[in-house]
Amino acid sequence: DAKTTQPPSMDCAEGRAANLPCNHSTISGNEYVYWYRQIHSQGPQYIIHGLKNNETNEMASLIITEDRKSSTLILPHATLRDTAVYYCIALTSGNTPLVFGKGTRLSVIA
Amino acid sequence: EPEVTQTPSHQVTQMGQEVILRCVPISNHLYFYWYRQILGQKVEFLVSFYNNEISEKSEIFDDQFSVERPDGSNFTLKIRSTKLEDSAMYFCASSYMAGGTEAFFGQGTRLTVV
């Protein structure tokens, strides 16, 4: 599975959009981009995933560049409860399990 | 919303003792996982389980560890002879489809080996 690179930490003002980048320059054609988050030692929580089209759900939007070498997770109106570590994972569908890196620690500030 | 339930939430055990961590996955899920997270470190994959057998395991998952789905609803992780370095948060997860697709994680069991 492709290696992903994320900034170690980011801050975001409450109510503003949080844009979390992820580089996956070695991603292969059949690898999806998954985003999970972990709020203070709770179990990781699935957010969204995509292959090449942009995706949106009730939690977030995922923007994947045309060359698929990078992506951005967007939380449109960050709240204090969005403070968490966010993980970007490139993974083929199939029985390969999730492998978590260090992620980005997002701090939402009032 | 359906959820993965783990018991106990905290477990303290003496070194060398056996522990069993229990999980009730979401009822129609087919794939089951155990992860662990040592304090301040990454979430680490231990094992995946499908169709009543281990489908993949990491180097961490040595002979001291075993998993079982004894009754079609519970999914357990057994550590035969605990070591101090087994102290960690253990997360169970389940998914309907394989891989990362919308895996649901439990709230974890904090294991402390003394």
Side-chain angles (χ1 to χ4, degrees):
Chain A
D1 299 315
K3 178 180 167 58
T4 61
T5 304
Q6 301 177 252
S9 64
M10 293 181 62
D11 292 339
C12 177
E14 188 179 20
R16 305 296 292 267
N19 297 284
L20 292 96
C22 179
N23 284 319
H24 31 80
S25 58
T26 61
I27 197 167
S28 62
N30 62 345
E31 284 184 305
Y32 288 74
V33 179
Y34 289 86
W35 284 85
Y36 278 75
R37 73 180 182 182
Q38 187 178 24
I39 298 173
H40 188 55
S41 296
Q42 295 180 19
Q45 178 188 24
Y46 167 82
I47 301 172
I48 199 167
H49 75 284
L51 184 62
K52 52 185 177 182
N53 297 322
N54 297 336
E55 302 288 344
T56 295
N57 63 19
E58 64 278 6
M59 290 182 68
S61 295
L62 174 60
I63 308 297
I64 303 174
T65 58
E66 196 168 334
D67 63 10
R68 302 209 327 120
K69 292 185 177 182
S70 65
S71 60
T72 301
L73 178 75
I74 301 172
L75 308 178
H77 305 287
T79 70
L80 298 178
R81 288 177 296 180
D82 293 320
T83 292
V85 179
Y86 287 77
Y87 301 97
C88 169
I89 302 167
L91 188 67
T92 54
S93 64
N95 202 19
T96 307
L98 293 164
V99 175
F100 292 88
K102 294 183 179 180
T104 295
R105 182 173 298 278
L106 175 69
S107 298
V108 181
I109 302 166
Chain B
E1 185 175 295
E3 62 179 15
V4 174
T5 305
Q6 290 186 242
T7 55
S9 56
H10 293 90
Q11 173 96 44
V12 180
T13 189
Q14 290 199 327
M15 194 168 52
Q17 294 296 303
E18 175 184 287
V19 293
I20 298 175
L21 309 183
R22 303 182 191 279
C23 169
V24 179
I26 293 171
S27 60
N28 65 339
H29 283 187
L30 303 174
Y31 298 85
F32 313 107
Y33 313 89
W34 282 101
Y35 287 79
R36 79 171 187 190
Q37 187 174 32
I38 295 170
L39 189 63
Q41 298 187 22
K42 296 186 298 185
V43 177
E44 300 174 291
F45 168 73
L46 293 178
V47 66
S48 57
F49 192 85
Y50 170 71
N51 200 26
N52 283 319
E53 61 182 24
I54 290 173
S55 48
E56 191 159 345
K57 61 183 180 179
S58 72
E59 291 180 353
I60 301 168
F61 194 87
D62 62 21
D63 292 342
Q64 295 290 342
F65 293 89
S66 62
V67 289
E68 195 177 31
R69 190 158 158 78
D71 56 12
S73 60
N74 292 286
F75 180 50
T76 62
L77 174 70
K78 181 192 289 186
I79 309 175
R80 286 190 184 80
S81 178
T82 50
K83 303 187 284 283
L84 295 176
E85 54 264 38
D86 294 326
S87 294
M89 183 75 91
Y90 288 80
F91 295 108
C92 172
S94 69
S95 62
Y96 181 73
M97 296 174 65
T101 301
E102 206 163 359
F104 287 76
F105 283 76
Q107 290 305 296
T109 292
R110 182 169 297 284
L111 177 65
T112 302
V113 181
V114 296

